Amino acid sequence: MEDEAQGCTGLFGGSFSPPHMGHVLACHYALLRWNLKKVLIVPSFAHPFGKPLPPFDHRLAMCRLAFAHLGDAVELTDVERQIGGVSYTIDTVQELTRLRPDENFRLLVGGDILPDTQKWRAFKELTIIAPLLVIPRISEGVIHGGTAFEAALPDVSSTRIRQTLAAGETPTGAVPAIVLDYIAKHALYQ
């Protein structure tokens, strides 16, 4: 499946609360590793597991800032806002397939979330519509979704970033500086 990804559009979804260096590096990794046509950033509108999120418009704006340096190689979409309600990946992928019938999609996921996919709605159907491309990630010193011979994303945690911000500290190096400026300007995560 990975060999057939060249020229496809990678779908990279998440709450992006906030978008951090791991997200940015994941896009770089996917574009270079699989020679994708582009990566489509898909912020969640409402998290399926009830995770509280800042307003969608803030998360969309932060994504725009975090990925701007990648130019046309990255595109943002508010498709989950258009769908409305709780964001299930299968619904999003089906809607994107309807809206963009000429594009071939691949779903980008971090290797660390593979054990959680049994919780996803219609996961098997999802992988038929948009086969997975797994990005290796280091967590607690272990590489998930890859081997020691592959580059792996660092262990950057949105939860830890939010906790750091809530404590009035700055997660320097974990979040793009332009996103940190936006967070401070809009008093997010306090």
Side-chain angles (χ1 to χ4, degrees):
M1 270 318 160
E2 288 186 4
D3 295 338
E4 300 168 11
Q6 182 172 330
C8 292
T9 297
L11 298 178
F12 189 36
S15 56
F16 298 106
S17 181
H20 56 62
M21 291 300 201
H23 297 132
V24 174
L25 292 172
C27 280
H28 281 272
Y29 183 96
L31 288 164
L32 296 171
R33 166 75 170 81
W34 294 294
N35 198 20
L36 299 174
K37 178 173 71 171
K38 67 181 163 188
V39 172
L40 188 60
I41 305 294
V42 188
S44 300
F45 184 66
H47 199 278
F49 304 131
K51 180 164 62 169
L53 299 171
F56 182 82
D57 286 333
H58 281 307
R59 291 180 294 110
L60 190 66
M62 288 188 288
C63 284
R64 191 169 286 113
L65 294 170
F67 299 105
H69 70 285
L70 287 168
D72 293 340
V74 170
E75 180 184 342
L76 271 71
T77 179
D78 69 346
V79 67
E80 291 202 357
R81 174 175 35 200
Q82 294 170 32
I83 295 170
V86 173
S87 302
Y88 292 102
T89 305
I90 184 66
D91 299 333
T92 302
V93 171
Q94 287 173 331
E95 180 65 5
L96 286 169
T97 301
R98 186 186 70 76
L99 293 171
R100 300 170 180 228
D102 296 332
E103 290 190 57
N104 292 314
F105 295 110
R106 297 295 183 269
L107 187 63
L108 303 175
V109 298
D112 57 314
I113 65 110
L114 291 176
D116 295 332
T117 55
Q118 76 274 3
K119 299 176 189 172
W120 291 24
R121 179 179 282 183
F123 182 72
K124 187 172 182 176
E125 180 183 353
L126 172 63
T127 61
I128 292 168
I129 301 169
L132 298 185
L133 293 176
V134 179
I135 300 171
R137 184 170 179 205
I138 296 174
S139 178
E140 299 177 13
V142 177
I143 297 175
H144 300 274
T147 68
F149 298 105
E150 296 176 272
L153 297 182
D155 188 9
V156 182
S157 162
S158 294
T159 300
R160 284 196 308 266
I161 290 168
R162 289 190 302 272
Q163 290 168 343
T164 301
L165 290 165
E169 300 172 21
T170 303
T172 305
V175 179
I178 195 164
V179 174
L180 284 174
D181 291 344
Y182 184 95
I183 289 168
K185 179 181 177 183
H186 295 280
L188 300 175
Y189 307 110
Q190 295 183 354

